Amino acid sequence: MSLESPLFRVPREIWLHIHRLATINWSPLALAYSERLWNALANEIIFENIRVDSRFHSLYDALNRIRLSSTRFDYNYAILASPPRVPNHHGLDADTRLPFLKRVYWTETRHTSGLLCKLVPIAPNLEYIFLSESTHPTQRTIKALSLPHRAPTIPSLRGLGVGDHYIYSIGTILQIDLQNLTLLHCTPLFLTHPDFPASLPCVTVLRLFGSRSHIHFGTVFAQFPRLQELTYDVWNRLSPPTGDEPIPLSLICLHSAVTVVRDWLPIEDHFTLLASPAFPAVKRIVLYGTWHRVVADAHFSRFRSALHARGCQLEFPEGNVLSP
């Protein structure tokens, strides 16, 4: 595209939106090198997301060379898996600034230990951090996560994810000021830590992962009084809510990876609660995973009718709505 073209006068924000749509299933690499204009416009989004793990040895140098996708993190991982080899992998100093960096997927390992402490202060627009520990025993570190002294106040932070392998540093993570969070992604066990805040009033999206745990809905609704969207696995035990405070919960994303159901009790317990007056009257329940045999079973027909009577719509992620 020529810089003299009338299309060049289209507002920059529109071109950025077009670029996001064009690369939603691909890395921005697909367009970044095709045109000078695309390359210049993409600067705002190509550095938004990074993934750091045991294979990532040169954070600063890589950020100056590569193009990262805002949606396809699997492509980002493939790119970062083969970084340039630079002798000093701590190439982050107080004079460095990464204003485009908004999302960090961080795996604490022996190789990356201490780097996050350097990264956070130089990323003034950091909005989301997902923290995890390596699943490889040889790469794990017994050192607690190191954060800078001013990390407890990250003004731009709106989303936090904590992996289930993060066992040494929960106390450090909970020293961060979480009062501005709007999204939290963690295990149910993380919510029960003694240092977890009594209330996070700005959180509207809570995504709980993992199964065979226990979800205390009374505690969850007290901790997140403005919760609108809740994600969890149906194969968790549950305790019903206890308070009478209205919760604006409107969407539940319910996961299941069980193909053949031999024990209907967990499903019956969940849907009996979801259809009862004791639970907030949600507008939509989206079923993720292997639910098709479950919803077609005679055991489930009464729940479809009961939820429909409460004004709740059952659907699959692709948009197929189940009839009562």
Side-chain angles (χ1 to χ4, degrees):
M1 184 190 305
S2 170
L3 297 181
E4 288 75 29
S5 169
L7 293 176
F8 186 69
R9 293 193 289 271
V10 174
R12 179 173 177 272
E13 291 77 13
I14 294 179
W15 280 120
L16 282 171
H17 183 65
I18 293 173
H19 187 279
R20 291 180 188 274
L21 294 177
T23 59
I24 191 168
N25 292 318
W26 305 92
S27 166
L29 278 169
L31 292 178
Y33 293 111
S34 61
E35 293 280 357
R36 284 186 302 161
L37 178 59
W38 280 124
N39 190 278
L41 287 172
N43 278 337
E44 183 173 323
I45 59 176
I46 57 181
F47 295 141
E48 283 184 358
N49 305 271
I50 65 170
R51 178 164 180 165
V52 179
D53 60 18
S54 59
R55 300 182 182 182
F56 189 78
H57 301 296
S58 179
L59 174 61
Y60 177 64
D61 191 71
L63 280 173
N64 281 282
R65 295 189 182 197
I66 62 176
R67 301 295 189 264
L68 300 176
S69 171
S70 63
T71 55
R72 292 305 301 265
F73 305 119
D74 51 339
Y75 289 136
N76 293 349
Y77 182 79
I79 293 172
L80 296 181
S82 301
R85 296 188 178 276
V86 176
N88 178 16
H89 69 278
H90 292 83
L92 301 171
D93 54 56
D95 296 327
T96 305
R97 283 293 178 268
L98 301 174
F100 295 123
L101 183 56
K102 295 182 180 180
R103 302 170 74 92
V104 171
Y105 292 76
W106 191 272
T107 301
E108 188 77 353
T109 68
R110 294 184 294 106
H111 298 288
T112 63
S113 181
L115 281 179
L116 188 61
C117 183
K118 296 174 177 288
L119 176 64
V120 170
I122 64 175
N125 299 314
L126 192 59
E127 295 178 357
Y128 183 91
I129 304 176
F130 187 90
L131 301 167
S132 65
E133 286 188 337
S134 177
T135 57
H136 303 287
T138 59
Q139 296 294 338
R140 293 176 190 166
T141 175
I142 60 174
K143 296 180 180 179
L145 179 71
S146 176
L147 290 173
H149 294 300
R150 57 179 178 171
T153 55
I154 307 176
S156 58
L157 190 64
R158 295 295 180 269
L160 175 67
V162 182
D164 56 347
H165 290 284
Y166 234 108
I167 57 177
Y168 295 108
S169 304
I170 293 179
T172 302
I173 295 169
L174 290 176
Q175 292 177 13
I176 302 173
D177 183 359
L178 305 179
Q179 292 303 310
N180 290 327
L181 283 189
T182 59
L183 181 151
L184 179 61
H185 185 173
C186 63
T187 63
L189 187 61
F190 183 71
L191 305 181
T192 65
H193 191 277
D195 294 333
F196 194 89
S199 177
L200 293 178
C202 293
V203 171
T204 58
V205 179
L206 176 63
R207 295 171 181 165
L208 301 176
F209 62 88
S211 59
R212 310 302 177 186
S213 188
H214 198 131
I215 300 175
H216 301 266
F217 282 112
T219 303
V220 168
F221 293 160
Q223 291 171 322
F224 311 103
R226 297 181 183 173
L227 189 63
Q228 298 176 21
E229 177 183 329
L230 174 63
T231 299
Y232 69 96
D233 193 289
V234 74
W235 302 103
N236 283 294
R237 291 173 291 119
L238 57 85
S239 296
T242 54
D244 298 325
E245 292 295 325
I247 300 295
L249 184 64
S250 60
L251 170 63
I252 290 180
C253 300
L254 202 55
H255 288 252
S256 176
V258 176
T259 305
V260 179
V261 177
R262 292 184 172 86
D263 181 8
W264 274 86
L265 187 58
I267 294 178
E268 290 178 346
D269 285 347
H270 276 78
F271 281 92
T272 297
L273 177 61
L274 295 176
S276 74
F279 201 86
V282 299
K283 296 179 180 178
R284 298 168 58 215
I285 298 177
V286 182
L287 303 175
Y288 288 83
T290 53
W291 284 96
H292 290 79
R293 290 185 179 180
V294 174
V295 299
D297 195 284
H299 286 86
F300 198 77
S301 59
R302 60 190 175 98
F303 298 120
R304 295 171 66 159
S305 301
L307 289 169
H308 180 75
R310 294 198 79 198
C312 178
Q313 178 174 286
L314 270 176
E315 59 185 89
F316 290 113
E318 58 270 22
N320 295 337
V321 178
L322 299 178
S323 59

